[in-house]
Structure formats: structure tokens, C-alpha cells
Amino acid sequence: MKWFRKKNAEESPSEPKSPSEKKEQVELKDPVIENLHKRIEEAYLPDQILPVARDEYERLLKTEKSSPEFAIGQNYLEFILSLPWNSTTKDDLDLTRAKEVLDARHYGLSPVKERILEFLAVKSLHSRQQAKILLADDEVIARENLSIIFEQDGFAVRAVANGIEAVAAMENDPADILVTDLKMDGMDGLQLLQEVRRRWPDTGVIMLTGYATVKSAVTAMMKGADQYLGKPVNLTKLRDYVMELLTKNQRIQHLRGPVLCFSGPPGTGKTSIGKAIAEAMGRKFFRLSLAGLRDEAELRGHRRTYVGAMAGRILQGIEKAGVRNPVIMLDEMDKVIQDFKGDATSVLLEILDPEQNSSFVDNYLGLPFDLSGVLFIATANMVERLPAPLRDRMEEIEFSSYTLSEKQQIATRFLIPEQLRQHGLSPKDFDLLPEAVRSLIVDYTREAGLRGLEKQVASLCRKLARKTLADGEGAGVLTVEAADIKEIMGTTPHFNTAAKTEPKVGLATGLVWTENGGEILFVEAVKMNGNKQLILTGSLGEVLRESAQTSLSFLRSNAERFNLAPDFFEASDIHVHLPAGAVTKEGPSAGITIAIAILSMLTDRPVRPDVAFSGEISLLGEVLPVAGVREKVMAAARAGIKTVILPKQCDYAVRSIEPEVLENIEIRLVERLDEVVELALI
Ligand code: ADP
């Protein structure tokens, strides 16, 4: 209280002289304000922050309590106080436990789990390294005293008497921190500093001297010392400096390691693995969905001059987590790049870069907050959409579509018991036979991941809950067979992505790789009287349009080979359409599908409906390789396709597909369009 009541202390509080003074006193006694002051003083705010908080508090005292400025100031102070400036959780880097946590929640995903455990192993090794301090001082007593103190603090300490010995010691084993006297025989502190800066730039240097003049301090700092202390040394300060430099150093070493980026279709376990990592490390977790973020202010906050200004989502999340080292999942990073007004990449790079994020400035807070302790994990459905600088900064871990048997295992072991529990039912009262689970997956969902299945299981559980209530207590274990599923769940939904059953002229089935995993897509072609126009519709991107042009040119230039009239395009227009018209489509991989649709239409030969294609076409009719082969083949299998035609050069990708996926699908690898024609047209 003394600190802000000083002005009034000399006067008797019982004798206010004017009404305004009276009012001020009443306000000063406001318990909320008094409490605010106490909290500011006791919050251990960092050195840079405390004076700002005090100034803000002073300003608040002078502000009319009923004015909007008062509320703004008060909210601001409350926000400063609510941030976890010093709170952290201690990392648990026990790999056995981490593996247990990852396994307990997730079936399969072995490569993903392996990579995560490697990542944690590196972190664990970093954190175990004992920090090394080198002391250079020609006074024996001084260096011995400091040696003992730092050894007690747990550092590996070496002590030498001058610069030459110090350089030799550094050559032998570079130290993390060098604490050196300025005046020494042989090579003095400044010469040593220059040598260290040149050869070991990562080593932190603290300069000590008995002649602590401003001039020598300035020289030392200009030559690259990180800190400067006069003798006799203030031990608390020296320790603080050492810790500060070490944290900076280690932080950079730690975080020079990549940021993990989980990529893959929705529902493949990216978020839940992220949560499991946080749990395994004993860290808090929060997910920041980037999809739908429109501008920088949402991430970084509005300046306080705006009415209703708030901090950005990053700091809000940190506030909620209550620690400054949570795991933050930056979800759907590829979406924000598309939708953002302004330069999302540079904001994200700043957040992820350890050299910049240690002083991340939110516009509302207006003060630096250290994000370097945060473990960021990004997710993206399609990493290909991320700009190169961001991709370079991250290490991608791919999550791919689940096979039917994986889905069946996950549903039986995790989703169904979990959903039953969430609906107030006991898993042991229900026995869903494998065929019933399979029916739920095959007949009621068609997706790469598990989100739809999770919803269907929830819907099933609601229905089971009703039945349980109707049957009454003690009705015994309820067995659900495949036939029951249809009865309980009703008619199966219609999927647009099912293979056609009838062969048709001018209609071919393509395979595409989208953010939802693989999908099938149809290509339609018709011809009408006209004047040599190729009409392309269905929200097609530039590359896809060019691909259609290429297909047509190849057919025109090889008309004879494909039994086409040489002038087939003379007095006609050709229209190629890719439903669904509202969905944007892009990429070269529909090349052969378009060529087959056009050729089918021109020759009046229908395309086999159970064949699907993916391959880029060259102007000379070669079939060129495409990406996302596994996802595409799985989508074909889900859709009921029997034969998939792929470029020969994709055989390496085909070989890595699980035999289970290939059980009901024949893969044909081709080099030229002629081969495709043989396989596809009836
Ligand atoms: P994403 O973040 O990739 O969209 P989620 O993590 O939200 O996917 O996963 C959707 C649901 O599927 C969650 O309930 C999750 O626990 C579950 N799930 C996904 N993969 C697995 C797995 N391998 N084992 C167990 N459950 C899984």
C-alpha cells in the first residue's frame, strides 16, 4: 500500500480537504484495486514487464472509475497477471512410459509412433547434457570460489588462469558459458572474447572485472560479450546471467530440431496422437484450429486502441493452459494459408522460429512473451499446399488412410467401448460381432479416416441406449449381428463416390488425391455440332485444363491409330465435364481419364465401369507418374472398383501397399495410352 498512497500519507486520512480528494480516497480503498496492486507486486513478473504493469496501475489510479478507459486498463492488467510468465510443467521424457501412452490410445500407426519416440529421445538427450562452464581468472581464490559454487549448482566446471589456457580448454572441449576476467596476463579478457566469438559463436560470454568502468563495459559488450559484471561479483546476478544464457543456448539447440507436422486425411488420428504426446511428456495441450482464421489480428491480437480489443489466439491459449510450455497443435495449417488476409506464412514462421518466438509480441499485450518453451505440432491435410519456407521448417510425418481391418480393430478396441461409455452404457453389456462392425464401416461410411465412423457408432449407441431402457435392467448381454445393423441404423446412405454399375459411352472413372484422402471422380465427354471448341467445365484448375487440351491434341494427332475420322473435330465442339461442378479440381493426374472419356465418346465404345484410372498424359501419349497412389487405390477399393490403371513408374508405390488392400483389386501398370485403351474400352 505504501507505494501508491505515499502522496496522502502525510495528511490525515480522516480530514479530506475537498470533495475530489474524498472521492480519491474512497477509490483507493477499493479492495479490487488494492488487490490488483498486491498481485502485481507479488506476481514475479519479468524485469521488462513489471515496470509496465506498475505504470499501467498508476494510470488506472488516475482514471475515473466509471470511464471506459478504466475498464480497459483494468482488463489489460488482469490479462498481464493471468499470463503464466514463469509457470512451466516439468517434462517427463521417459520413453517407455511415452510408448505406453501412445500405444494405450492408438492402434497401429507404428511408423508414426516410432518417429515420435525418436523425437522425444533427442529431446531427452538434450535435457540430460550437463551444462559446461569455463572460468578464466588469474586470481586463484576468486576462480576457486566460483568453481565450488557452480559445481554445487550442478555444472561441469573447469577453471584456468589466463586467455591462452582458456583457448586451449575450449579447443579441447568447448564450454557453453565462459566467465572471464578482463585483466589477465598473457591473453587478456578482451582478446579471449574476440577469439571465442570468432571460433565458438554459440558460447555465452560473461565478462568480470575489478575495474568496472562504463568504458570497459561498453568495449566488452561491443566486442560481443553477452553480459558484464563488476567485481566484487554479485553472485545472484552472475547465476541469473548464467541461467539466462544457458536457457537461450539450450532453447536454440532444442528447437533447432524440427517442428513436427502431421499430414494426412481427416480422422486419421493426428489430433489424438498430439494429445497423447502431451500426456506422455506431462505437458498441457491445446489445439488451435487455424482453419477459418481470416487475419493476423486473430492470431496476434488487436491493438488496445480498438474497442473490445483482445489478445490473439496464441496468447489466449497460453493463458488457458496456465503454463508457458504447453504442446500447441496448430491444426489445419494448410487451410489458413488459403483463407488468410495478409501474410500468414510470415506470422507462422515467426511463431515457429525459436530465435524469434522467444520475444513474441501480441498486439494487445504489446510486450514480448517467450514462446520458446512451447512444443508446436502442426497438422495439414495436404502439406503440398504449404509454402516452401514453412515446409522447410517442419518435419513431416505422414498419416494415411486406414485399411478395413485397421478400422475394424480401432472400432472394436477403441471407438465402440468409448462411445458406449459416453452414452452411459457399459461395454460389457454389448457384443458387437465382427460382421456387424464391418457392416457399419462398409455400408455406412466411405472415408479415409474415422470421423464418419465415430459419428455412426455414436448414433448406434443412442439407439442401443433406447433399447436398453426399453428392455429394462438385467436383460443380459445384447448381441448385435450384421443383420441387426441394418435394422437398427436404417437404410444405408447413398454415396456419390460409388463405382457405376453400367458401362457407358463417354464416361470414365478417375482417381484423385484430395485433402480427404483418395476419392473417385467421373469424367464425362460429349460431342456436338460446332466449330472446334473444347469446352471444359466443373471448376477446373489451369493444369487440369491443359491436361484436357493435351489429351485432345494427342487423339487428334493420332486419329488413324485409334480408328477416328481424321476430321472428327472439324465441324464439332467437344465438351468435357467433371462433376461435382461446385468442387474445385486441379492437377495433371486426370489426363488419361479424360483421354479415355473422349475416345470412348468418339468411338462409341463404352468404358468398363469397374475400371478406374490415374495418370498424367504427355503430348506423345505416354502415361506419366502421379502422387498419392496408396490413397487412390484405397479409395478405389472402397468404391467397389475392380481394376486400377496406373503409370508404370508408380510400381514402387504400388509395392508398398498392404496386401490386404490389394486383395480385391487388380493393378495394371501402363506406359502408353494405347495400353489403357485396350484395358478400358469394351
Ligand atoms: P484427425 O486429427 O487426424 O482429424 P482425430 O485425432 O480427430 O483425427 O481422430 C478421429 C477419431 O479417431 C478420434 O476419436 C481418435 O481417437 C480416433 N482414432 C484415430 N486413429 C486412431 C488409432 N490409430 N487408434 C485409435 N483411435 C484412433
Side-chain angles (χ1 to χ4, degrees), residues 105-109 113 264-273 287 329 331 379 381 399 402 410 414-415 419 449-451 454:
R105 302 267 185 78
H106 298 92
Y107 174 83
L109 294 175
K113 290 177 186 166
T268 44
K270 299 183 292 298
T271 310
S272 61
I273 279 272
R287 177 176 158 269
M329 178 161 264
D331 217 4
T379 80
N381 291 141
F399 286 60
Y402 287 116
I410 296 171
F414 298 95
L415 297 184
Q419 288 295 330
L450 297 159
R451 288 206 184 153
E454 205 172 26

Side-chain angles (χ1 to χ4, degrees), residues 180-332:
T180 174
D181 195 8
L182 183 65
K183 283 249 184 295
M184 293 181 293
D185 286 341
M187 183 191 264
D188 72 10
L190 283 183
Q191 288 168 311
L192 172 61
L193 172 64
Q194 273 174 314
E195 191 66 11
V196 169
R197 271 291 151 269
R198 193 172 61 81
R199 295 174 62 187
W200 299 280
D202 285 344
T203 298
V205 181
I206 302 172
M207 193 66 88
L208 308 178
T209 179
Y211 311 92
T213 60
V214 172
K215 193 162 162 256
S216 53
V218 170
T219 318
M221 296 304 267
M222 276 174 55
K223 294 213 155 119
D226 293 289
Q227 288 296 354
Y228 188 90
L229 265 179
K231 282 183 174 178
V233 173
N234 175 337
L235 259 185
T236 317
K237 266 213 162 125
L238 180 59
R239 276 183 166 138
D240 281 354
Y241 288 162
V242 166
M243 283 319 291
E244 213 171 82
L245 288 177
L246 272 180
T247 332
K248 194 166 129 202
N249 212 335
Q250 282 180 345
R251 163 200 303 151
I252 290 170
Q253 275 180 17
H254 271 209
L255 295 170
R256 271 196 190 134
V259 172
L260 296 179
C261 174
F262 295 166
S263 78
T268 44
K270 299 183 292 298
T271 310
S272 61
I273 279 272
K275 277 190 199 154
I277 292 179
E279 190 190 322
M281 293 178 78
R283 289 202 186 196
K284 294 274 168 55
F285 174 87
F286 83 86
R287 177 176 158 269
L288 201 158
S289 175
L290 296 179
L293 282 200
R294 292 281 175 267
D295 58 28
E296 201 180 319
E298 287 188 65
L299 270 179
R300 239 188 212 292
H302 285 281
R303 284 182 206 291
R304 269 198 295 153
T305 41
Y306 286 90
V307 178
M310 281 197 302
R313 301 270 291 274
I314 300 267
L315 278 200
Q316 281 180 26
I318 296 265
E319 181 198 9
K320 225 188 214 161
V323 285
R324 61 180 181 82
N325 67 338
V327 173
I328 300 186
M329 178 161 264
L330 297 171
D331 217 4
E332 304 197 280

